[in-house]
Amino acid sequence: MRVSAYAAPSAGQPLAPTTIERREVGAHDVLIAIEYAGICHSDIHTVNGDWGPQPFPVVPGHEIVGTVTEVGAEVTRHRVGDRVGVGCMVGSCGECDSCRNGDEQYCARGMIGTYAVTDRDGTTTQGGYSTHIVVDADFVLTVPEGLDPAAAAPLLCAGITMYAPLRRWGAGPGTRVAIVGLGGLGHMGVKIAHALGAEVTVLSQSLKKQEDGLRLGADHYFATSDPDTFEALAGSFDLIVNTVSAAIDVNSYLGLLAVDGTLVNVGAPPEPLPVNAMSLIGGRRSFAGSMIGGIALTQEMLDFCAEHGIVSEVELIAADQVNEAYERVLASDVRYRFVIDASTLA
Ligand code: NAP
Ligand code: ZN
């Protein structure tokens, strides 16, 4: 099946309209008519070749919401007409310890990413900036009724990427959580941490978005460009989640952790993030990482968001605005997620 899409032809090149082939709907597959696709900063890292060589052309997009239009003979979980979502993964081995534990994203044989990865049939996966996608039913999520579909799309990556570490490191009543960077991931982190009952602080480059941050659920908001911030907040967080897409001085942020606190890095800059041993030793602190979240946890997150009325703050764009949107994300000028209206691709 030939479908319309937007693709980057080679590293760093602007995206342009194209068509791509989607596989036949197999017995265990679901065909989805895509309605919305969020723009994640990872799409931009990928297109720019920040993470090393990879196949081109690439159709990015791993924050996908749409409607099921066809299901394979063995599919029981989803039906034609269902509102569904697809995130960063479309496959994994299903047999290793990680897959058995519901951590498909840490599959020992490598998760199959939604784009730019070799699929089981030897083809390269292509993502959600497209009108249709065929996905193994096990990697298709149910989008609860009541969630606005355009604003729910970013939950499939930004939402789960924040929900997973907040849950794992116990964000809740009585915990002091800081979110570094108020972008796509960061603003979801603020909403989710607040809904979990934590005391939430935003650490942003400036105070420009302070009003938004407080409205989204933050209790406090500080500018990291102000050196006083690092003195005033020393030792005051149990958990810091760093969402920044560029390299920051991790050691100054580790100094903001209380004894036994953890700084979880979800931002994925191409540069290393050097850590001084003393930054950790001094307060028995931890520096950790976290990547998206497993399928069951992603469904739990979607249900949690429906229950708490949480969606992303989105700016809906037409497909031909995608290059401009990339520029704005790179300039930290996003409030707070661009979402492509897939009807503009047809
Ligand atoms: P985004 O919307 O661009 O947000 C990043 C935010 O970081 C910006 O809004 C800005 O916030 C801050 N920032 C940007 N450049 C900075 C700099 N030079 N110094 C300090 N702060 C800076 O990006 P995103 O989509 O949230 O993604 C963020 C990162 O997470 C990317 O690297 C992406 O690849 C990665 N990611 C990881 C996972 C995972 O599973 N671990 C999943 C998705 C994305 P302020 O303006 O508030 O300072
Ligand atoms: Zn993403």
Side-chain angles (χ1 to χ4, degrees):
M1 167 182 194
R2 207 85 214 143
V3 304
S4 299
Y6 247 69
S10 58
Q13 290 303 301
L15 280 77
T18 187
T19 61
I20 53 168
E21 192 66 25
R22 293 298 190 189
R23 68 165 179 260
E24 294 287 310
V25 179
H28 207 251
D29 283 339
V30 172
L31 171 63
I32 301 165
I34 298 174
E35 297 171 276
Y36 301 103
I39 294 179
C40 177
H41 205 119
S42 300
D43 302 350
I44 303 173
H45 285 307
T46 302
V47 165
N48 287 343
D50 287 350
W51 295 331
Q54 49 141 84
F56 283 96
V58 62
V59 176
H62 57 209
E63 292 185 337
I64 302 168
V65 165
T67 307
V68 175
T69 55
E70 193 183 330
V71 296
E74 286 166 25
V75 175
T76 52
R77 206 195 276 203
H78 304 287
R79 276 181 289 183
V80 171
D82 285 357
R83 172 75 49 57
V84 293
V86 177
C88 302
M89 295 184 278
V90 292
S92 72
C93 82
E95 290 163 5
C96 70
D97 288 348
S98 293
C99 287
R100 284 174 194 276
N101 289 336
D103 277 330
E104 298 89 350
Q105 73 279 26
Y106 305 124
C107 175
R109 295 184 184 92
M111 71 167 199
I112 301 175
T114 304
Y115 58 77
V117 166
T118 305
D119 208 343
R120 280 198 200 89
D121 60 6
T123 61
T124 301
T125 55
Q126 300 290 5
Y129 301 0
S130 168
T131 55
H132 297 80
I133 192 167
V134 178
V135 180
D136 184 314
D138 286 347
F139 289 83
V140 175
L141 287 305
T142 298
V143 176
E145 270 178 44
L147 286 182
D148 176 76
L155 300 180
L156 276 305
C157 174
I160 184 60
T161 300
M162 299 309 289
Y163 186 78
L166 289 168
R167 286 296 312 275
R168 179 158 192 98
W169 278 277
T175 59
R176 297 157 299 170
V177 174
I179 305 288
V180 188
L182 193 68
L185 266 54
H187 92 291
M188 290 312 312
V190 169
K191 288 190 177 201
I192 293 169
H194 174 71
L196 288 167
E199 182 179 344
V200 184
T201 300
V202 173
L203 301 174
S204 179
Q205 292 168 94
S206 72
L207 294 178
K208 273 191 286 189
K209 298 178 272 189
Q210 181 169 25
E211 220 174 277
D212 287 354
L214 299 176
R215 176 176 54 83
L216 297 172
D219 300 286
H220 318 282
Y221 200 107
F222 289 87
T224 54
S225 53
D226 180 354
D228 289 349
T229 292
F230 291 90
E231 266 183 49
L233 300 178
S236 61
F237 299 110
D238 305 300
L239 173 64
I240 300 175
V241 185
N242 172 30
T243 75
V244 175
S245 47
I248 57 168
D249 175 19
V250 170
N251 299 292
S252 1
Y253 291 85
L254 287 168
L256 305 184
L257 289 172
V259 173
D260 284 330
T262 302
L263 191 166
V264 183
N265 216 87
V266 294
E271 305 84 12
L273 297 171
V275 172
N276 299 333
M278 291 313 281
S279 305
L280 299 173
I281 293 171
R284 195 162 56 199
R285 298 171 176 130
S286 304
F287 182 44
S290 182
M291 186 169 72
I292 49 171
I295 292 297
L297 195 70
T298 304
Q299 190 62 59
E300 178 187 308
M301 176 276 308
L302 287 166
D303 297 342
F304 175 88
C305 287
E307 192 182 317
H308 293 267
I310 295 174
V311 283
S312 177
E313 309 284 302
V314 303
E315 191 172 326
L316 201 60
I317 60 165
D320 63 6
Q321 293 172 286
V322 64
N323 294 305
E324 194 190 317
Y326 275 28
E327 291 305 320
R328 285 185 51 197
V329 171
L330 286 169
S332 299
D333 178 25
V334 52
R335 302 201 179 187
Y336 283 87
R337 199 59 141 183
F338 289 106
V339 171
I340 300 168
D341 176 351
S343 70
T344 62
L345 280 157

